[in-house]
Amino acid sequence: MIRKARSIALGTAVAALALPAAAADDGAGKSYTPPRPPGDFTPPPDSAIPDGPMGDMIRRGRELFMHTQKLSGDYVGNGMNCVNCHLDRGRKASSAPLWAAFGMFPAYRGKNDHVNTMIERIQGCFRYSMDGTPPPADSKPMVALLSYHFWLAKGAPVGVALPGRGFPAIDKPDKPYSVARGKTVYERECAICHGSDGGGRKAEGTWVFPPLWGSESYNFGAGMHRINTAAAFIKPNMPLGRPDLTTQEAWDVAAYINSKPRPQDPRFTGELAQTKKRFHDHMCLYGTEQHGRTLGAPDGE
Amino acid sequence: MKPQRFNALAPALAALLLVPVGDAAAADGRKIARNGTNAGAPACKTCHGMDGAGRAAGGFPRLAGLEAAYMVRQIQAYADGTRANATMKPIAKALSASQARAVATYYADQKASGRKPDGKAPAAGRRLATIGKWSKTVPACNACHGPGGRGGGADFPAIAGQHESYLVAQLKAWRKGRRTNDPNGLMAAVAKGLTAKEVQAVAAYYARQSAP
């Protein structure tokens, strides 16, 4: 039973991801033409948000999606905002847009081996990407965020994997990914914004450039800590405003940022090898030796 | 005799040692801003003002409150031609590295109270500043230029409160390839994603925001 369900879910995931990859060439673009965003569905404009209590809730959700740090301490444990990974306020194709997600839930997820509602999916990003405590289903922040997801999907089909959903499939690299090469890419292309220590940068007390590793970043349970997921995000989206890395560079730099320390996987059983075996049977560096220490080992181990 | 001489020298020496490096640079920088240099750099104040307010009419940028490291990089860029400008090129070439640093530090510390232009900016300006134009992969300007466009560190200068004419000129310079000193071509990619109308709108918007 479970195996069957798994393969169905995998099939859907593959279908969702196997979209025409963005048509950027790999020539480390001297003359850069931005890729045409895939996706036929256009979410409604902000100006169409209705007046009244529903409109207020949608606007509140948009606000929380962009400035999730407002929930810092209560539900958010790091320095991230939802919009950091779901660009253009959750609208941009190829950065897991909300309009493509809403109609695809409830759905079975292998990650927790049961059928997840939209709310539980959002809670997942709170737990891992935001390294926090998810807001309860009927709490005001969750109702607001859910309303915003719903609004962006207005007019989208239900149960149809729209082009632009998730991150587009990225080709396999020619050479196996390399943390060492990734460091070179990082220092050349990313450090100017995310900092050479990966800690991001604040101005006037608010985050401008989000942290990529360290205590303020996503934790070891987050999708972004998988090298393939990070590579698939980085290729069409980073460096911000000029996403023109080669496929190889995207893989290498994805490996580099994920070879650095970050908050513990909240599912940590107290034992690294066990946690790795149970929850990290995928493309990641958790529990491996990196930069002279075991990644994910609790302090002092 | 000997001890006396020692005594006379001591206070002078102490005074020399006590002048903090920053103050010396600021004093020097102020002098350059006011009088120029012996090597032929003219007084900066003629165009940028002693308070660094600049002047919209001449396309002279506001320098007050910009990060010193950013301004030093621009002076180097004028000198080496990666930022093509006939007025600033000879001026930049006449400044030594330490003079450039001193005068940049002076202007970084100024707080000119520029007057904002009348009228309202088109709505498209605010949109570009806070949301961007993702159909052309252009992020919100504030994503790099910091909250309110008041600066995101020495690599990402403040653009809020800058003169409209100057902002337009810079965006055009990138579109036409006359300014190529931006790190990793980040700003060129942005400028090339905008239409002429959008350049006007976003310049009008930032000219009406408060400078840092």
Side-chain angles (χ1 to χ4, degrees):
Chain A
M1 263 309 260
I2 284 173
R3 173 163 301 152
K4 190 169 157 218
R6 245 189 237 286
S7 76
I8 288 168
L10 203 80
T12 324
V14 169
L17 292 174
L19 301 159
D25 72 344
D26 275 352
K30 266 143 227 95
S31 63
Y32 169 69
T33 4
R36 268 180 68 85
D40 313 309
F41 179 78
T42 308
D46 285 342
S47 56
I49 297 177
D51 291 331
M54 186 63 201
D56 291 345
M57 193 58 90
I58 293 165
R59 273 183 288 268
R60 171 104 184 116
R62 183 184 58 189
E63 182 68 10
L64 290 178
F65 194 81
M66 292 172 73
H67 307 288
T68 326
Q69 286 297 304
K70 287 187 172 166
L71 303 175
S72 173
D74 297 329
Y75 303 118
V76 174
N78 60 14
M80 311 284 300
N81 296 300
C82 307
V83 70
N84 293 159
C85 301
H86 302 279
L87 304 186
D88 189 15
R89 301 164 294 146
R91 289 169 173 266
K92 188 178 174 295
S94 302
S95 76
L98 309 185
W99 46 261
F102 190 80
M104 296 304 285
F105 287 87
Y108 173 83
R109 292 189 77 211
K111 183 164 182 169
N112 50 27
D113 195 16
H114 65 256
V115 171
N116 291 219
T117 62
M118 187 76 255
I119 288 174
E120 196 175 354
R121 181 66 192 86
I122 294 171
Q123 287 173 327
C125 270
F126 269 101
R127 190 162 181 227
Y128 303 110
S129 294
M130 313 297 290
D131 194 35
T133 311
D138 53 1
S139 64
K140 186 120 185 252
M142 182 54 81
V143 174
L145 282 167
L146 188 65
S147 302
Y148 182 54
H149 284 61
F150 160 80
W151 165 252
L152 286 184
K154 198 176 160 82
V158 169
V160 175
L162 289 167
R165 184 178 180 210
F167 307 145
I170 180 167
D171 293 338
K172 291 254 150 2
D174 291 339
K175 294 174 262 184
Y177 60 75
S178 145
V179 170
R181 276 198 310 269
K183 182 175 198 286
T184 312
V185 177
Y186 185 83
E187 277 160 8
R188 193 183 69 223
E189 300 283 347
C190 323
I192 184 174
C193 294
H194 294 288
S196 46
D197 65 353
R201 198 189 289 161
K202 283 183 177 181
E204 300 180 4
T206 60
W207 289 98
V208 179
F209 301 121
L212 296 190
W213 67 81
S215 59
E216 295 295 320
S217 189
Y218 55 87
N219 68 35
F220 275 117
M224 196 66 88
H225 100 289
R226 300 185 188 200
I227 295 166
N228 52 334
T229 304
F233 168 80
I234 289 164
K235 180 81 169 74
N237 294 308
M238 291 291 143
L240 187 75
R242 202 174 194 286
D244 57 1
L245 298 187
T246 64
T247 298
Q248 185 71 51
E249 287 170 332
W251 280 95
D252 291 345
V253 79
Y256 177 67
I257 65 175
N258 285 311
S259 72
K260 294 288 193 172
R262 57 181 66 259
Q264 183 56 277
D265 189 334
R267 300 163 299 184
F268 187 61
T269 63
E271 218 240 296
L272 187 62
Q274 189 185 47
T275 310
K276 177 172 160 59
K277 187 151 179 272
R278 201 180 288 175
F279 301 113
H280 292 263
D281 184 18
H282 49 232
M283 202 183 288
C284 81
L285 299 172
Y286 185 76
T288 65
E289 284 294 309
Q290 298 296 335
H291 315 288
R293 51 184 284 187
T294 310
L295 203 57
D299 288 340
E301 248 178 60
Chain B
M1 257 312 237
K2 257 182 195 167
Q4 234 173 347
R5 232 161 99 186
F6 176 74
N7 282 347
L9 257 172
L13 216 102
L16 260 176
L17 289 173
L18 279 174
V19 175
V21 179
D23 280 1
D28 200 13
R30 178 190 299 276
K31 230 172 98 190
I32 297 169
R34 174 164 295 146
N35 306 321
T37 69
N38 295 335
C44 320
K45 73 160 192 224
T46 327
C47 300
H48 296 289
M50 263 328 267
D51 62 355
R55 209 177 328 130
F60 306 141
R62 176 193 173 91
L63 302 182
L66 291 179
E67 295 243 8
Y70 167 75
M71 286 189 275
V72 168
R73 265 202 302 112
Q74 301 312 310
I75 292 169
Q76 283 163 356
Y78 285 127
D80 70 24
T82 49
R83 190 171 170 183
N85 184 264
T87 309
M88 276 307 295
K89 180 166 187 156
I91 298 173
K93 282 194 143 168
L95 293 173
S96 71
S98 68
Q99 285 171 331
R101 216 175 314 120
V103 69
T105 306
Y106 167 77
Y107 277 120
D109 288 342
Q110 301 309 303
K111 292 198 172 36
S113 60
R115 197 158 41 85
K116 289 178 198 156
D118 300 329
K120 270 184 74 177
R126 184 194 188 85
R127 209 182 152 76
L128 283 163
T130 58
I131 293 173
K133 180 185 177 186
W134 288 91
S135 61
K136 293 282 181 196
T137 324
V138 174
C141 314
N142 289 352
C144 288
H145 290 282
R150 291 183 296 271
D155 291 312
F156 302 95
I159 51 177
Q162 187 54 278
H163 301 296
E164 196 169 325
S165 56
Y166 173 76
L167 291 170
V168 170
Q170 297 315 302
L171 291 164
K172 280 191 180 155
W174 267 301
R175 288 158 60 81
K176 302 230 167 90
R178 287 196 307 266
R179 188 169 172 180
T180 55
N181 62 313
D182 50 327
N184 293 345
L186 288 171
M187 193 49 218
V190 167
K192 285 175 183 158
L194 304 181
T195 65
K197 216 169 147 189
E198 286 166 340
V199 164
Q200 292 291 346
V202 76
Y205 171 79
Y206 278 114
R208 285 164 178 78
Q209 303 304 303
S210 297

